[in-house]
Structure formats: C-alpha cells, structure tokens
Amino acid sequence: MFSLKAGVQNVFDNYPDPGDFEVCCGRIYRSDSVTPWQGALFYVQASWSSG
C-alpha cells in the first residue's frame, strides 16, 4: 500500500506586522503572532507499507 500526502500552511505567504518592542537576536516579528512569521510552508509526505 502506498500513501501520498501534500499540504500547505500560509499559502498566500502573509507576514505579521513588525513588533514595537526591543529587537532581540535580529528578530523583527512577534513570536506570539497568529500569522506565522516564517512565510509559506509546503510539504509532501510519502509512505509505503508491505503486508
């Protein structure tokens, strides 16, 4: 049996507004934002089972 899964998160590549706080380590977005600050994420997962 073969299984293939694909998905996407934040398909429109949205970013949160920059935070108004002390910037640490080069970070400009709040880590508690609802919109992910990493941008779009695409993934594919494949699995195979014999039996």
Side-chain angles (χ1 to χ4, degrees):
M1 178 172 199
F2 180 73
S3 174
L4 183 65
K5 299 177 185 178
V8 63
Q9 179 181 4
N10 194 7
V11 68
F12 298 113
D13 202 24
N14 294 325
Y15 290 87
D17 294 330
D20 294 328
F21 60 98
E22 182 180 337
V23 178
C24 171
C25 310
R27 188 177 67 190
I28 62 171
Y29 301 116
R30 296 179 56 103
S31 59
D32 63 349
S33 175
V34 176
T35 306
W37 53 269
Q38 299 95 338
L41 170 68
F42 299 90
Y43 62 91
V44 176
Q45 177 184 6
S47 64
W48 174 272
S49 66
S50 60

